Amino acid sequence: MADLRVSWAGLSLRNPLILASGIWGESGASLAGAYEAGAGAVITKSIGAAPRPGYPNPTVEALDQWGFLNAMGLPNPGIEEYPKEIAVARARGAAVIGSVFGGSAEEFAELAGRMADTGVLAVELNLSCPHAEGLGADIGEVPEEVEAVTRAVRARVKVPVIVKLTPNTSDPVALARAAERGGASAVSAINTLKAIAIDIRLRRPVLSHGIGGLSGPAIKPIGLACVWQIARAVTIPVIGVGGIRSAEDVIEYLMAGASAVEIGTAVAFDGIGLFGRIASDLDRLLGELGLPSAASAIGLAQRAAAPAMPAAPSVRGNR
Amino acid sequence: MADLRVSWAGLSLRNPLILASGIWGESGASLAGAYEAGAGAVITKSIGAAPRPGYPNPTVEALDQWGFLNAMGLPNPGIEEYPKEIAVARARGAAVIGSVFGGSAEEFAELAGRMADTGVLAVELNLSCPHAEGLGADIGEVPEEVEAVTRAVRARVKVPVIVKLTPNTSDPVALARAAERGGASAVSAINTLKAIAIDIRLRRPVLSHGIGGLSGPAIKPIGLACVWQIARAVTIPVIGVGGIRSAEDVIEYLMAGASAVEIGTAVAFDGIGLFGRIASDLDRLLGELGLPSAASAIGLAQRAAAPAMPAAPSVRGNR
Amino acid sequence: MMRTVVPVVERVLETPSTVTLRFPFAPAARPGQFVMLWVPGDDEIPMSLSYVEGSKGVTVKVMGSTSRTVQSIAVGDRIGIRGPYGNAFDLSPGRILLVGGGSGSAVLAPAAEAAARRGARLTVALGATTASELLFAERFRRMGARVEIATDDGTAGRRGYVTRVSDALLASERFDALWTCGPEVMMGKVLASAEAAHVPAIGSVERVMKCALGMCDACSLGPYHVCTDGPVFSGEALRGLPEFGHLKRESSGRLVPA
Amino acid sequence: MMRTVVPVVERVLETPSTVTLRFPFAPAARPGQFVMLWVPGDDEIPMSLSYVEGSKGVTVKVMGSTSRTVQSIAVGDRIGIRGPYGNAFDLSPGRILLVGGGSGSAVLAPAAEAAARRGARLTVALGATTASELLFAERFRRMGARVEIATDDGTAGRRGYVTRVSDALLASERFDALWTCGPEVMMGKVLASAEAAHVPAIGSVERVMKCALGMCDACSLGPYHVCTDGPVFSGEALRGLPEFGHLKRESSGRLVPA
Ligand SMILES: Cc1cc2nc3c(=O)[nH]c(=O)nc-3n(C[C@H](O)[C@H](O)[C@H](O)COP(=O)(O)OP(=O)(O)OC[C@H]3O[C@@H](n4cnc5c(N)ncnc54)[C@H](O)[C@@H]3O)c2cc1C
Ligand SMILES: Cc1cc2nc3c(=O)[nH]c(=O)nc-3n(C[C@H](O)[C@H](O)[C@H](O)COP(=O)(O)OP(=O)(O)OC[C@H]3O[C@@H](n4cnc5c(N)ncnc54)[C@H](O)[C@@H]3O)c2cc1C
Ligand SMILES: Cc1cc2nc3c(=O)[nH]c(=O)nc-3n(C[C@H](O)[C@H](O)[C@H](O)COP(=O)(O)O)c2cc1C
Ligand SMILES: Cc1cc2nc3c(=O)[nH]c(=O)nc-3n(C[C@H](O)[C@H](O)[C@H](O)COP(=O)(O)O)c2cc1C
Ligand code: FES
Ligand code: FES
């Protein structure tokens, strides 16, 4: 039996599998359900100042089994109502992380503060939603803004602050460093990539918002590269997100340098039961790989390769 | 029979299907072979000043049928040798576009000039290779540099100049506008996205270079979004690249605003015969969609949606 | 699970406020399941399949802006369909009482047809605001069902809510099962009466749908997601939910009075 | 087509410069096909399968840095394998003359075994620099082949190039087919002799491989890609290529003397 527990930024999770924001995250009952299905922690839908209905449908487009497009438009009940949901989830014992989004450092700080007041374990700042103009990603693409938002939130809350980064950038490392400078306890990467689907018969984009965000297996290699690059550049923990659907995927992220992972789209393909399945697969697979624990996998591939790929043969090392 | 010809930037191609740079592009015989297999034009491997062996293997990693990773490292015989290959391809009647990469505006101009001297129809500037430090993408991520490189090349060559853009950016539109300001005849988008694959059994990245570039179906929604955004922001033609494997994909790109498309990775999945197959499928599919020509599809989805998605129902319009 | 764009091949105005659209759609579907109907240029809304064999069909009542647009869709127009989603009615035969109000018959009719073919004996309590709004009364009769009617204004059948009819039937006859679909308050009453009469009941429920894939949480109802755990639930399950009949989530996810 | 990481389960030092590694690898393969052998931490290089049944195997001769590293791989070490790639030998039975030089026996041996099982009568002209470097002489004999040997230094068989042996055989006997693999200059001569003797010939060719998927163009040889159109070509096809025996592409794609 491998030890699946991970600890980072002062949190201790029973396993490294976290429900990603925006999936099963509007209601407290769903959050609790996801936790009970086996997640190590659950992240709420990103919550803003006021109720937002989101964009009209179509808001999603499944691309076969490898990709997924969404432009939900950050629907959420608003920070006034939402604490009720968190109370429901916490009452059932769920380890809840609260996600917030805003249009300015002040708004982020205010929302994070109110979120922290609900008793969540940590807050995650959604600085990376690719399809909501002026909210999140526009700020999240500029290192100085990332730093300012993080600093404002850091000053306001006591719980760990996780900054969720966008892959829609030429330099994820600069964004991660900015978050670190601002006092982030951890960064998570990645949110979705700007993407679109066109219906050639109707001659129009499928999503009502036109541009949406790509998630699912298609983005796993991109998320891994972001984690890989960030993990060697910052000292705070990195949470890996993007395209995870199996225990193999989880270990890839851990080995790339992630201290935990978030899982989103796979829930649409495999149902919430995948948390329990991946947890038990992870247990078995770690054993097969000769690893005593999830924690012992973290950064292993970094070590093999750092700083550049070795010229010397290392076949023996792999026995 | 739909008319497959497209004309843009002064070029007239027998169909909109262009062999992307880096695929079948090192030898003149291969370029000619791809043209004879049905491509509307063929782009050479990106050529630099001196012979480059590229990175050691592994240089590629196929991800199922939906994605592909490569870090070839821009192997190329150098601009001294390469004109011989172009001569072979041109002697067989191929419509050849020459791709070059460099480390500075001067180098780009010099290489583009020598490439143009070989008699290619146009030059494509590879400002976007994601895994060759200091070459291409580092320059290609900064609008001012893109503008300067384009301007230097524009001043040096008479043939159309196509600027190939990177998706590893927060703002593809800014890069396209910079190319336009610099005098580009067209832009092509996208090159590959920074990505990595980890082997969990060997605990190391698969590619010798670590970071590589993601291509194939996985990136189609991302390429489409770049084309979509760029096409509404610039007046020069846009060439769509990324994940194209079928006539449906081609029409998606055309409707998003592309004047032609480049096809790369699909050759590894389906063989060079796919150019002929897609061309004949395109002919049939345009007919099914009630479109008289490939050219008539260009930008159709932009029109349905521009500037924002319409509030008014438009069901009838789709009959 | 894949989206397709299909032409409407038949259009029937069922009542002044309700239209049926038929369209070719290959995936197999069972009565009770729904599709996401995309009205291009407008919204995409959940619709039960009112026909699950041959050309599939949906039967859409005007409830707001998109369902109004649907009324103007003509034969030859194209719509987007994805699905089918959700679970289905349990079609074990016997004496079945169906209680439908509003557009509820849209989903009850194909289930009844399938049950009738398996030898079920059907009684339908059908409610509407007024006679012209009665949906699928003829269709139920054609499959051999006894149809008992109630209208709010008394223009057909009994005056008043359909629950008066169904309560009377439950009091006077024995049924093996009860199926209901309609306004939630109505369903709440029907399910309570069924429980009192010891008749196992199931109901088809509506919530705001976005992904229809059990992911976005828009349709959450207590511990369930209506899109994947429903839309058909047992009366027992529904009665256990404080939200049922009282609260629903609006598009933002906020709980508001149902 | 997928990459897998496998342990080496058997290691045989065939000659002082040549080692065979056996490993479990499920995909079916035919004699003539090759795999990409990844030596973790080092390069990935193309290798013909020298064993295509049971545990698959490759037989690697030192040619440079990676092939030298391969010599130090031990049982239990892990290697990456992807493939199999390329085409295969045509195994129609008859009297077959095999002409192998250097590591060429690595690909000829499994083809010969398969042909022998189908009733082919095999004659092998085997060349090496010196006696200890003769590859698979015993393996050929075990399958019933007649083995005629040449060594550059005369330590076994005839002194000189293997073409002396094969030319003599072609002059004195009738063969239905000739298969060859070895240095390109050698193959060029063998193919010319075969043509003169009207014996249909095929040869397995090497070029720099990167993708092995017919994409990157590294292995281009005239109109062909060795990775997908080859590595086995007819003598006719090869004789028509000005590059064959004269030019090859180095890793940069530049044509250099072969
Ligand atoms: C599983 C299921 C099956 C259904 N089957 C049928 C049917 O067979 N026939 C029929 O006439 N109606 C059916 N409905 C109801 C139908 O979806 C709504 O009437 C329709 O969405 C209203 O859209 P609108 O734009 O006209 O209304 P709006 O003006 O947008 O709003 C009116 C009301 O419709 C509901 N609504 C709006 N959008 C949605 C949405 N995305 N998902 C769910 N409800 C929404 C809300 O309660 C809202 O208050 C079904 C609903 C569900 C969930
Ligand atoms: C289809 C095919 C089948 C082969 N089968 C065998 C076999 O069964 N047994 C055997 O011993 N050898 C075989 N080879 C040759 C083997 O691949 C090379 O000897 C090996 O790649 C040398 O690698 P190195 O690093 O030791 O040499 P290096 O020091 O890198 O270079 C030495 C020479 O090896 C060749 N070479 C280097 N890299 C590659 C590459 N990626 N692809 C092709 N050639 C390369 C070049 O000609 C180079 O000049 C085969 C080659 C091909 C193309
Ligand atoms: C339907 C949907 C809704 C999402 N909503 C949010 C959100 O509200 N806040 C957020 O930070 N990320 C949101 N995301 C992004 C995910 O949390 C995650 O970063 C991304 O989908 C990549 O992970 P995956 O491939 O496992 O889905 C959403 C993703 C999807 C698919
Ligand atoms: C093996 C490989 C080599 C490539 N080499 C180049 C190159 O030399 N120059 C360049 O501009 N793009 C290069 N590319 C990028 C492609 O031209 C193309 O932009 C990208 O692969 C996306 O298209 P696709 O999904 O159709 O492959 C290469 C791609 C691959 C897969
Ligand atoms: S509609 Fe998204 S979870 Fe049900
Ligand atoms: S090795 Fe790449 S085309 Fe043959």
Side-chain angles (χ1 to χ4, degrees), chain B residues 176-201:
Chain B
R177 287 208 175 109
E180 186 174 41
R181 277 196 307 274
S185 319
V187 293
S188 48
I190 56 179
N191 210 311
T192 55
L193 283 114
K194 274 190 195 153
I196 201 171
I198 308 266
D199 189 285
I200 62 172
R201 289 183 168 74

Side-chain angles (χ1 to χ4, degrees), chain A residues 310-316 318-319, chain D residues 39-41 69 72 74 76-78:
Chain A
S314 63
V315 185
R316 287 277 156 57
N318 304 312
R319 262 188 229 177
Chain D
V39 184
T69 307
S72 67
D77 285 346
R78 283 192 286 190

